[in-house]
Amino acid sequence: MTTLRLDNRSAYELLLTLLVYSTPQWVDTYDVGPGWFARMDRKAGPDLKDRISRLTAGCENLLLPLLNVAADLPLPGRADALIDTLAALEPKEVRLTLLGYYATRTRRRVAASLIRDAADGSRAAGQELVEAAADGPECERALAALLRYSDEEASALLVGILRDWYESVFRDLYAEIRPVLDREAERLRGRSRELPLEVFLREVSNGAEVVQGPGVHEVALFPTWVLRPSNIIWEHGGSLLVGVAIPPEHLSIDPEAPPDRLVSLASALGDDRRLRILRRLTTGSYSLQELSRHFEIPKTTLLHHLAILRSAGIVRAGPGTNGKYGLRTGTSVEIHRLLDIYLPAIRAEPGRATRDLRY
C-alpha cells in the first residue's frame, strides 16, 4: 500500500530555484516571468551566473539527481544542510550523483557500470553515456563538460555555486516565499485527509498523471513556488518525490493584479502556432513525430510550444518518450470563469436606456 508524506523542505526549493534560473530559455513556461530572472541576475552577479552556465549549460535535468540528497536529509531538510552534506561527500560521490549514477531515471537508460566507467575516464563509456542519457543538446553539453572535470573540480564547482546562490539569492528569496509555502503545506495536509490518495494527487497536480510504479511505497509530496505552473515528479528508491505548483488562488498577490493562472493561459494562447496546434488536437491525440510531420516544423521547435501548452494545463501528454499529446477538457470554461472573477460585471447606469443596433 502506498503511503503519503507531506514535505516542506527548503532544500527542495533551493535546488528548484537554481534549476529554473539555469534555464532562461524556458522563461515563458514559468509563471515567475522575465522580471524574476532579471532580479535574480542582479542578485547573482556575472561571476555566479557564468559558473552556473558552465555547470548546467542550460540543462534542467542536471540538478535533478540532487533531489535524492535533499530527500535523505533529516528533517526539517534545510537548504544549508544540503550544501553542508554535499561538501562533506567524497568528490567522486558528488560527480557520480550529478552523472545520474543514483538516479532511477538514468539507470533505466544506461547501466551503473557504464556511468562509473565514464566517471573513471573511459572516453567510449563517456560518449555512450552522453548519447543515451542526455535530454537534448543542452544536456549533451552539460554531461560532456562534467566528464571533462576531475572529481574535485566538479564537486568544488557545484558546492561553490550552491553556497553563493544560497547567500546571494536564495536566503532573501526564501524569506519572502516561506510563508506561502508553509501555508500551502498546511492546506495540502488538510486536503489529503479529505480525499482518497489518487483523487488527492490528481487534484493537487492539476490533473498530471502521477504513476506509482512497482516498488514505490511512498509518495513524498511538497509544494513549490518557483516552478509554477509545472510539477516535478522524481523517483528516489521506494519513494516518488512529487513537487506540486502552488495554485494562483493560494498565492499572496495584489488583488488588483490578474490571477497568475489567467495570465498563464492568455500567454499560452497568444501565439498563432500554438493555436494551430490546439486546433489540430481537437481532431485526436498525436505523437511529437506526427505533429512535426503535419506542421512541417522541427520537433525541437514543436516541443517548445507543447511545453508551454502543457505548463498552462491546456495539453496533456501520455507516458513515455513516444506518448501522444491531447487536449485537456475544460480549458475554455476555466478561461471564462477566471475572466468573470477578475473583470467586474458591467452594469448600465440607473435610468439610462440601452438599445441594440440592428442593421
Side-chain angles (χ1 to χ4, degrees):
M1 180 178 177
T2 305
T3 60
L4 176 69
R5 186 181 85 225
L6 268 298
D7 256 340
N8 188 20
R9 300 170 181 239
S10 60
Y12 289 149
E13 200 70 5
L14 172 74
L15 294 175
L16 294 180
T17 55
L18 186 56
L19 180 153
V20 169
Y21 180 71
S22 67
T23 54
Q25 70 272 25
W26 301 118
V27 59
D28 52 0
T29 69
Y30 299 123
D31 279 357
V32 291
W36 183 85
F37 279 84
R39 179 185 169 200
M40 298 304 104
D41 274 345
R42 292 191 295 271
K43 284 179 168 291
D47 175 66
L48 178 54
K49 183 177 181 178
D50 177 68
R51 282 182 284 144
I52 292 170
S53 179
R54 280 195 284 122
L55 177 67
T56 68
C59 173
E60 61 186 345
N61 293 331
L62 187 79
L63 298 171
L64 289 179
L66 298 175
L67 289 173
N68 294 351
V69 185
D72 287 338
L73 293 173
L75 290 175
R78 292 168 54 97
D80 53 354
L82 172 65
I83 299 170
D84 291 342
T85 298
L86 289 168
L89 285 177
E90 289 293 327
K92 171 70 76 177
E93 289 297 300
V94 174
R95 195 157 73 114
L96 282 172
T97 298
L98 289 173
L99 288 171
Y101 184 78
Y102 301 105
T104 303
R105 184 173 183 269
T106 305
R107 293 277 286 268
R108 284 202 185 100
R109 301 180 181 186
V110 294
S113 57
L114 179 74
I115 302 174
R116 188 169 283 279
D117 287 345
D120 288 340
S122 168
R123 289 191 176 184
Q127 183 176 352
E128 188 174 345
L129 173 62
V130 170
E131 291 174 354
D135 294 285
E138 296 92 353
C139 295
E140 289 182 9
R141 290 194 295 270
L143 283 175
L146 189 56
L147 289 170
R148 289 194 294 269
Y149 291 129
S150 68
D151 297 335
E152 291 73 19
E153 289 170 337
S155 178
L157 180 60
L158 172 66
V159 173
I161 286 171
L162 287 172
R163 286 201 190 283
D164 290 346
W165 180 256
Y166 178 84
E167 293 293 337
S168 302
V169 178
F170 183 74
R171 184 158 51 188
D172 290 344
L173 175 63
Y174 190 66
E176 295 175 16
I177 65 177
R178 180 175 181 175
V180 180
L181 287 164
D182 288 345
R183 186 170 62 246
E184 179 64 4
E186 284 304 310
R187 185 187 76 83
L188 292 172
R189 288 189 183 96
R191 197 70 178 131
S192 70
R193 291 190 287 266
E194 299 170 356
L195 299 172
L197 180 59
E198 296 295 334
V199 178
F200 171 73
L201 292 176
R202 189 161 56 248
E203 176 183 288
V204 300
S205 65
N206 196 23
E209 188 177 10
V210 182
V211 179
Q212 301 155 51
V216 172
H217 58 77
E218 176 189 64
V219 173
L221 186 134
F222 61 94
T224 172
W225 177 89
V226 73
L227 206 60
R228 295 173 290 121
S230 300
N231 307 310
I232 183 73
I233 302 174
W234 184 257
E235 292 181 65
H236 174 47
S239 298
L240 194 65
L241 310 182
V242 181
V244 293
I246 300 175
E249 60 268 27
H250 296 292
L251 292 168
S252 296
I253 57 174
D254 179 356
E256 294 295 318
D260 286 357
R261 177 65 178 151
L262 179 59
V263 173
S264 174
L265 287 168
S267 176
L269 295 173
D271 183 275
D272 172 79
R273 290 160 296 184
R274 291 197 283 274
L275 288 173
R276 289 176 183 270
I277 292 169
L278 292 178
R279 183 174 177 84
R280 178 62 177 170
L281 292 178
T282 62
T283 66
S285 298
Y286 300 94
S287 68
L288 182 65
Q289 180 65 38
E290 290 169 334
L291 289 171
S292 176
R293 188 165 53 245
H294 175 79
F295 289 108
E296 297 182 344
I297 58 177
K299 286 191 288 186
T300 52
T301 301
L302 185 60
L303 190 60
H304 170 68
H305 289 295
L306 287 168
I308 294 173
L309 292 171
R310 283 188 66 191
S311 296
I314 303 172
V315 164
R316 54 177 173 75
T321 56
N322 295 318
K324 294 197 172 187
Y325 292 86
L327 286 179
R328 292 185 59 191
T329 59
T331 301
S332 58
V333 174
E334 183 183 12
I335 293 172
H336 281 293
R337 179 180 63 81
L338 289 170
L339 281 171
D340 285 342
I341 292 171
Y342 180 62
L343 300 178
I346 301 174
R347 297 178 176 85
E349 294 179 15
R352 186 170 183 174
T354 60
R355 63 192 179 98
D356 292 331
L357 300 181
R358 301 172 187 257
Y359 297 95

